Amino acid sequence: MGHLDHATFGWLTPALSYAMACVGAALGLRCTVRALDATGRSRRNWLLTAASAIGTGIWTMHFVAMLGFGVTGSDIRYDVPLTILSLVVAMAVVGVGVFAVGYGRDRVRSLLIGGLTTGVGVASMHYLGMAALRLHGEVSFAPLLVGLSVLIAVVAATAALWAALNIHSPAAVAVASLVMGAAVSSMHYTGMFAVRVDVLPSSATLPGATVMQFIFPLAVGLGSYLFITSAFVALSPTARERAAYASAGRLTEPDERAVDVAPPGFHTARTARTPLN
């Protein structure tokens, strides 16, 4: 069995991947909170943003962590279509869970359905990403640890959606995102500890793209998307703030329907005086 190294760059990739998971979770939670305060098209748009943020954050966390993954005795390549599919699956399945919470009338039922769906989406993304690995050898997984990783993903997703439904202050959302980031990272490394690789030495060229050719540029691009979207959400007024602005605007606007109710014979200062004959 080949020796697996999960942190070839030391603590850099685990710390950076955790940070990306936290950013994605925080952005997703804030967007979900905004969605629950909105209606119509605005709610749908906020939920779409939440799904893309959580899915992108989880995917970026996974592949940033994979930058530090190495197998003694074999190079590593990634199948490009499968890797992209893992990103699409992450956003799509997470979107189903987020919309279940955003539009569900029974909160408990919506939370359970959303948590289960989102957790399965997270796990599906992880193992699709692992299926995209190309190396000289055979990859297998320890079933018990795989099951544990899926359980962690479901619990983490349910906890995150519960936070979106019940926690609204920015400070509480920040704490919840840190917990969510830790849970997603735990799920990832639990799944990675389930990996077993039987190396079969070969001089043949592996198919697929290297980390620096494909994974790194895509991770940087998606990470930039997360930070730019975070800035947009932070600067965008909430529904309550918009209502307050509108109310203040109505109070300061002159009432064009006002009529002159001065008694007969009374003249204001602006009224021209008629000379007496």
PDB file of all heavy atoms in Angstrom, residues 142-170:
ATOM      1  N   ALA A 142     -12.387   2.637   3.187  1.00  0.00           N
ATOM      2  CA  ALA A 142     -12.855   1.916   4.368  1.00  0.00           C
ATOM      3  C   ALA A 142     -14.327   2.260   4.586  1.00  0.00           C
ATOM      4  O   ALA A 142     -14.655   3.430   4.847  1.00  0.00           O
ATOM      5  CB  ALA A 142     -12.031   2.310   5.593  1.00  0.00           C
ATOM      6  N   PRO A 143     -15.239   1.296   4.473  1.00  0.00           N
ATOM      7  CA  PRO A 143     -16.680   1.594   4.518  1.00  0.00           C
ATOM      8  C   PRO A 143     -17.120   2.319   5.790  1.00  0.00           C
ATOM      9  O   PRO A 143     -17.965   3.221   5.730  1.00  0.00           O
ATOM     10  CB  PRO A 143     -17.331   0.211   4.416  1.00  0.00           C
ATOM     11  CG  PRO A 143     -16.311  -0.650   3.754  1.00  0.00           C
ATOM     12  CD  PRO A 143     -14.988  -0.137   4.239  1.00  0.00           C
ATOM     13  N   LEU A 144     -16.572   1.947   6.940  1.00  0.00           N
ATOM     14  CA  LEU A 144     -16.993   2.560   8.197  1.00  0.00           C
ATOM     15  C   LEU A 144     -16.684   4.052   8.211  1.00  0.00           C
ATOM     16  O   LEU A 144     -17.526   4.882   8.597  1.00  0.00           O
ATOM     17  CB  LEU A 144     -16.310   1.862   9.375  1.00  0.00           C
ATOM     18  CG  LEU A 144     -16.724   2.360  10.771  1.00  0.00           C
ATOM     19  CD1 LEU A 144     -18.224   2.134  10.987  1.00  0.00           C
ATOM     20  CD2 LEU A 144     -15.916   1.647  11.851  1.00  0.00           C
ATOM     21  N   LEU A 145     -15.483   4.411   7.762  1.00  0.00           N
ATOM     22  CA  LEU A 145     -15.109   5.820   7.736  1.00  0.00           C
ATOM     23  C   LEU A 145     -15.892   6.591   6.669  1.00  0.00           C
ATOM     24  O   LEU A 145     -16.207   7.772   6.869  1.00  0.00           O
ATOM     25  CB  LEU A 145     -13.606   5.965   7.491  1.00  0.00           C
ATOM     26  CG  LEU A 145     -12.705   5.572   8.658  1.00  0.00           C
ATOM     27  CD1 LEU A 145     -11.235   5.671   8.267  1.00  0.00           C
ATOM     28  CD2 LEU A 145     -12.984   6.456   9.878  1.00  0.00           C
ATOM     29  N   VAL A 146     -16.220   5.935   5.572  1.00  0.00           N
ATOM     30  CA  VAL A 146     -17.054   6.577   4.559  1.00  0.00           C
ATOM     31  C   VAL A 146     -18.426   6.910   5.142  1.00  0.00           C
ATOM     32  O   VAL A 146     -18.947   8.028   4.984  1.00  0.00           O
ATOM     33  CB  VAL A 146     -17.203   5.678   3.314  1.00  0.00           C
ATOM     34  CG1 VAL A 146     -18.277   6.242   2.368  1.00  0.00           C
ATOM     35  CG2 VAL A 146     -15.878   5.569   2.574  1.00  0.00           C
ATOM     36  N   GLY A 147     -19.022   5.948   5.831  1.00  0.00           N
ATOM     37  CA  GLY A 147     -20.318   6.180   6.461  1.00  0.00           C
ATOM     38  C   GLY A 147     -20.257   7.291   7.490  1.00  0.00           C
ATOM     39  O   GLY A 147     -21.167   8.126   7.586  1.00  0.00           O
ATOM     40  N   LEU A 148     -19.165   7.320   8.268  1.00  0.00           N
ATOM     41  CA  LEU A 148     -19.000   8.374   9.273  1.00  0.00           C
ATOM     42  C   LEU A 148     -18.879   9.738   8.615  1.00  0.00           C
ATOM     43  O   LEU A 148     -19.453  10.729   9.096  1.00  0.00           O
ATOM     44  CB  LEU A 148     -17.767   8.083  10.122  1.00  0.00           C
ATOM     45  CG  LEU A 148     -17.443   9.100  11.227  1.00  0.00           C
ATOM     46  CD1 LEU A 148     -18.612   9.214  12.207  1.00  0.00           C
ATOM     47  CD2 LEU A 148     -16.163   8.706  11.952  1.00  0.00           C
ATOM     48  N   SER A 149     -18.169   9.815   7.500  1.00  0.00           N
ATOM     49  CA  SER A 149     -18.005  11.097   6.807  1.00  0.00           C
ATOM     50  C   SER A 149     -19.349  11.603   6.277  1.00  0.00           C
ATOM     51  O   SER A 149     -19.638  12.808   6.334  1.00  0.00           O
ATOM     52  CB  SER A 149     -16.994  10.967   5.665  1.00  0.00           C
ATOM     53  OG  SER A 149     -17.494  10.165   4.614  1.00  0.00           O
ATOM     54  N   VAL A 150     -20.186  10.699   5.749  1.00  0.00           N
ATOM     55  CA  VAL A 150     -21.509  11.098   5.262  1.00  0.00           C
ATOM     56  C   VAL A 150     -22.374  11.581   6.425  1.00  0.00           C
ATOM     57  O   VAL A 150     -23.096  12.584   6.312  1.00  0.00           O
ATOM     58  CB  VAL A 150     -22.190   9.935   4.523  1.00  0.00           C
ATOM     59  CG1 VAL A 150     -23.616  10.304   4.131  1.00  0.00           C
ATOM     60  CG2 VAL A 150     -21.388   9.542   3.283  1.00  0.00           C
ATOM     61  N   LEU A 151     -22.304  10.900   7.557  1.00  0.00           N
ATOM     62  CA  LEU A 151     -23.071  11.303   8.740  1.00  0.00           C
ATOM     63  C   LEU A 151     -22.643  12.696   9.209  1.00  0.00           C
ATOM     64  O   LEU A 151     -23.491  13.545   9.529  1.00  0.00           O
ATOM     65  CB  LEU A 151     -22.873  10.284   9.859  1.00  0.00           C
ATOM     66  CG  LEU A 151     -23.578  10.604  11.193  1.00  0.00           C
ATOM     67  CD1 LEU A 151     -25.092  10.662  10.991  1.00  0.00           C
ATOM     68  CD2 LEU A 151     -23.210   9.567  12.251  1.00  0.00           C
ATOM     69  N   ILE A 152     -21.353  12.940   9.235  1.00  0.00           N
ATOM     70  CA  ILE A 152     -20.854  14.266   9.624  1.00  0.00           C
ATOM     71  C   ILE A 152     -21.371  15.334   8.663  1.00  0.00           C
ATOM     72  O   ILE A 152     -21.786  16.421   9.083  1.00  0.00           O
ATOM     73  CB  ILE A 152     -19.311  14.274   9.660  1.00  0.00           C
ATOM     74  CG1 ILE A 152     -18.798  13.382  10.783  1.00  0.00           C
ATOM     75  CG2 ILE A 152     -18.786  15.697   9.831  1.00  0.00           C
ATOM     76  CD1 ILE A 152     -17.286  13.201  10.785  1.00  0.00           C
ATOM     77  N   ALA A 153     -21.389  15.029   7.364  1.00  0.00           N
ATOM     78  CA  ALA A 153     -21.872  15.992   6.371  1.00  0.00           C
ATOM     79  C   ALA A 153     -23.346  16.322   6.595  1.00  0.00           C
ATOM     80  O   ALA A 153     -23.749  17.498   6.525  1.00  0.00           O
ATOM     81  CB  ALA A 153     -21.663  15.437   4.961  1.00  0.00           C
ATOM     82  N   VAL A 154     -24.161  15.320   6.868  1.00  0.00           N
ATOM     83  CA  VAL A 154     -25.599  15.546   7.082  1.00  0.00           C
ATOM     84  C   VAL A 154     -25.835  16.355   8.349  1.00  0.00           C
ATOM     85  O   VAL A 154     -26.633  17.304   8.360  1.00  0.00           O
ATOM     86  CB  VAL A 154     -26.350  14.199   7.136  1.00  0.00           C
ATOM     87  CG1 VAL A 154     -27.799  14.407   7.572  1.00  0.00           C
ATOM     88  CG2 VAL A 154     -26.300  13.502   5.783  1.00  0.00           C
ATOM     89  N   VAL A 155     -25.144  16.002   9.432  1.00  0.00           N
ATOM     90  CA  VAL A 155     -25.306  16.732  10.696  1.00  0.00           C
ATOM     91  C   VAL A 155     -24.842  18.182  10.530  1.00  0.00           C
ATOM     92  O   VAL A 155     -25.505  19.121  10.997  1.00  0.00           O
ATOM     93  CB  VAL A 155     -24.526  16.033  11.826  1.00  0.00           C
ATOM     94  CG1 VAL A 155     -24.509  16.900  13.089  1.00  0.00           C
ATOM     95  CG2 VAL A 155     -25.143  14.669  12.126  1.00  0.00           C
ATOM     96  N   ALA A 156     -23.714  18.381   9.861  1.00  0.00           N
ATOM     97  CA  ALA A 156     -23.192  19.734   9.659  1.00  0.00           C
ATOM     98  C   ALA A 156     -24.150  20.573   8.823  1.00  0.00           C
ATOM     99  O   ALA A 156     -24.412  21.747   9.130  1.00  0.00           O
ATOM    100  CB  ALA A 156     -21.825  19.668   8.983  1.00  0.00           C
ATOM    101  N   ALA A 157     -24.687  19.985   7.758  1.00  0.00           N
ATOM    102  CA  ALA A 157     -25.618  20.721   6.903  1.00  0.00           C
ATOM    103  C   ALA A 157     -26.903  21.064   7.653  1.00  0.00           C
ATOM    104  O   ALA A 157     -27.423  22.184   7.528  1.00  0.00           O
ATOM    105  CB  ALA A 157     -25.935  19.891   5.661  1.00  0.00           C
ATOM    106  N   THR A 158     -27.414  20.124   8.434  1.00  0.00           N
ATOM    107  CA  THR A 158     -28.633  20.385   9.205  1.00  0.00           C
ATOM    108  C   THR A 158     -28.401  21.491  10.223  1.00  0.00           C
ATOM    109  O   THR A 158     -29.252  22.379  10.402  1.00  0.00           O
ATOM    110  CB  THR A 158     -29.101  19.100   9.908  1.00  0.00           C
ATOM    111  OG1 THR A 158     -29.267  18.058   8.942  1.00  0.00           O
ATOM    112  CG2 THR A 158     -30.419  19.318  10.632  1.00  0.00           C
ATOM    113  N   ALA A 159     -27.245  21.454  10.889  1.00  0.00           N
ATOM    114  CA  ALA A 159     -26.923  22.494  11.868  1.00  0.00           C
ATOM    115  C   ALA A 159     -26.803  23.865  11.199  1.00  0.00           C
ATOM    116  O   ALA A 159     -27.259  24.884  11.739  1.00  0.00           O
ATOM    117  CB  ALA A 159     -25.629  22.142  12.588  1.00  0.00           C
ATOM    118  N   ALA A 160     -26.212  23.905  10.012  1.00  0.00           N
ATOM    119  CA  ALA A 160     -26.053  25.178   9.302  1.00  0.00           C
ATOM    120  C   ALA A 160     -27.403  25.747   8.895  1.00  0.00           C
ATOM    121  O   ALA A 160     -27.656  26.955   9.046  1.00  0.00           O
ATOM    122  CB  ALA A 160     -25.175  24.976   8.073  1.00  0.00           C
ATOM    123  N   LEU A 161     -28.303  24.893   8.393  1.00  0.00           N
ATOM    124  CA  LEU A 161     -29.623  25.377   7.996  1.00  0.00           C
ATOM    125  C   LEU A 161     -30.445  25.790   9.208  1.00  0.00           C
ATOM    126  O   LEU A 161     -31.224  26.747   9.150  1.00  0.00           O
ATOM    127  CB  LEU A 161     -30.347  24.297   7.188  1.00  0.00           C
ATOM    128  CG  LEU A 161     -29.712  23.973   5.830  1.00  0.00           C
ATOM    129  CD1 LEU A 161     -30.444  22.819   5.163  1.00  0.00           C
ATOM    130  CD2 LEU A 161     -29.724  25.192   4.923  1.00  0.00           C
ATOM    131  N   TRP A 162     -30.293  25.068  10.314  1.00  0.00           N
ATOM    132  CA  TRP A 162     -30.971  25.477  11.550  1.00  0.00           C
ATOM    133  C   TRP A 162     -30.491  26.868  11.968  1.00  0.00           C
ATOM    134  O   TRP A 162     -31.293  27.717  12.388  1.00  0.00           O
ATOM    135  CB  TRP A 162     -30.682  24.478  12.668  1.00  0.00           C
ATOM    136  CG  TRP A 162     -31.288  24.887  13.978  1.00  0.00           C
ATOM    137  CD1 TRP A 162     -32.534  24.574  14.439  1.00  0.00           C
ATOM    138  CD2 TRP A 162     -30.670  25.713  14.982  1.00  0.00           C
ATOM    139  NE1 TRP A 162     -32.739  25.164  15.672  1.00  0.00           N
ATOM    140  CE2 TRP A 162     -31.619  25.860  16.028  1.00  0.00           C
ATOM    141  CE3 TRP A 162     -29.436  26.337  15.103  1.00  0.00           C
ATOM    142  CZ2 TRP A 162     -31.350  26.600  17.174  1.00  0.00           C
ATOM    143  CZ3 TRP A 162     -29.170  27.089  16.235  1.00  0.00           C
ATOM    144  CH2 TRP A 162     -30.108  27.211  17.259  1.00  0.00           C
ATOM    145  N   ALA A 163     -29.200  27.107  11.841  1.00  0.00           N
ATOM    146  CA  ALA A 163     -28.656  28.429  12.173  1.00  0.00           C
ATOM    147  C   ALA A 163     -29.252  29.503  11.272  1.00  0.00           C
ATOM    148  O   ALA A 163     -29.570  30.607  11.719  1.00  0.00           O
ATOM    149  CB  ALA A 163     -27.133  28.411  12.051  1.00  0.00           C
ATOM    150  N   ALA A 164     -29.425  29.175   9.989  1.00  0.00           N
ATOM    151  CA  ALA A 164     -30.006  30.152   9.067  1.00  0.00           C
ATOM    152  C   ALA A 164     -31.445  30.486   9.439  1.00  0.00           C
ATOM    153  O   ALA A 164     -31.896  31.625   9.256  1.00  0.00           O
ATOM    154  CB  ALA A 164     -29.945  29.616   7.646  1.00  0.00           C
ATOM    155  N   LEU A 165     -32.171  29.508   9.971  1.00  0.00           N
ATOM    156  CA  LEU A 165     -33.562  29.732  10.347  1.00  0.00           C
ATOM    157  C   LEU A 165     -33.711  30.455  11.677  1.00  0.00           C
ATOM    158  O   LEU A 165     -34.698  31.163  11.901  1.00  0.00           O
ATOM    159  CB  LEU A 165     -34.301  28.391  10.429  1.00  0.00           C
ATOM    160  CG  LEU A 165     -34.606  27.690   9.107  1.00  0.00           C
ATOM    161  CD1 LEU A 165     -35.136  26.293   9.367  1.00  0.00           C
ATOM    162  CD2 LEU A 165     -35.607  28.491   8.282  1.00  0.00           C
ATOM    163  N   ASN A 166     -32.739  30.286  12.562  1.00  0.00           N
ATOM    164  CA  ASN A 166     -32.916  30.765  13.930  1.00  0.00           C
ATOM    165  C   ASN A 166     -31.937  31.845  14.373  1.00  0.00           C
ATOM    166  O   ASN A 166     -32.154  32.472  15.411  1.00  0.00           O
ATOM    167  CB  ASN A 166     -32.808  29.581  14.906  1.00  0.00           C
ATOM    168  CG  ASN A 166     -33.912  28.555  14.697  1.00  0.00           C
ATOM    169  OD1 ASN A 166     -35.021  28.729  15.179  1.00  0.00           O
ATOM    170  ND2 ASN A 166     -33.611  27.492  13.972  1.00  0.00           N
ATOM    171  N   ILE A 167     -30.866  32.047  13.621  1.00  0.00           N
ATOM    172  CA  ILE A 167     -29.843  33.019  14.028  1.00  0.00           C
ATOM    173  C   ILE A 167     -29.777  34.118  12.977  1.00  0.00           C
ATOM    174  O   ILE A 167     -29.621  33.835  11.790  1.00  0.00           O
ATOM    175  CB  ILE A 167     -28.471  32.338  14.179  1.00  0.00           C
ATOM    176  CG1 ILE A 167     -28.517  31.294  15.299  1.00  0.00           C
ATOM    177  CG2 ILE A 167     -27.389  33.361  14.459  1.00  0.00           C
ATOM    178  CD1 ILE A 167     -27.249  30.493  15.455  1.00  0.00           C
ATOM    179  N   HIS A 168     -29.896  35.354  13.404  1.00  0.00           N
ATOM    180  CA  HIS A 168     -29.946  36.465  12.457  1.00  0.00           C
ATOM    181  C   HIS A 168     -28.869  37.519  12.682  1.00  0.00           C
ATOM    182  O   HIS A 168     -28.576  38.282  11.769  1.00  0.00           O
ATOM    183  CB  HIS A 168     -31.325  37.126  12.496  1.00  0.00           C
ATOM    184  CG  HIS A 168     -32.430  36.198  12.103  1.00  0.00           C
ATOM    185  ND1 HIS A 168     -32.719  35.890  10.796  1.00  0.00           N
ATOM    186  CD2 HIS A 168     -33.305  35.476  12.851  1.00  0.00           C
ATOM    187  CE1 HIS A 168     -33.735  35.036  10.750  1.00  0.00           C
ATOM    188  NE2 HIS A 168     -34.105  34.767  11.984  1.00  0.00           N
ATOM    189  N   SER A 169     -28.306  37.594  13.855  1.00  0.00           N
ATOM    190  CA  SER A 169     -27.301  38.621  14.098  1.00  0.00           C
ATOM    191  C   SER A 169     -25.995  38.245  13.397  1.00  0.00           C
ATOM    192  O   SER A 169     -25.629  37.062  13.336  1.00  0.00           O
ATOM    193  CB  SER A 169     -27.041  38.784  15.592  1.00  0.00           C
ATOM    194  OG  SER A 169     -26.382  37.659  16.122  1.00  0.00           O
ATOM    195  N   PRO A 170     -25.273  39.231  12.846  1.00  0.00           N
ATOM    196  CA  PRO A 170     -24.014  38.941  12.138  1.00  0.00           C
ATOM    197  C   PRO A 170     -22.996  38.198  12.999  1.00  0.00           C
ATOM    198  O   PRO A 170     -22.292  37.308  12.502  1.00  0.00           O
ATOM    199  CB  PRO A 170     -23.511  40.326  11.740  1.00  0.00           C
ATOM    200  CG  PRO A 170     -24.742  41.171  11.659  1.00  0.00           C
ATOM    201  CD  PRO A 170     -25.642  40.655  12.738  1.00  0.00           C
TER     202      PRO A 170
END
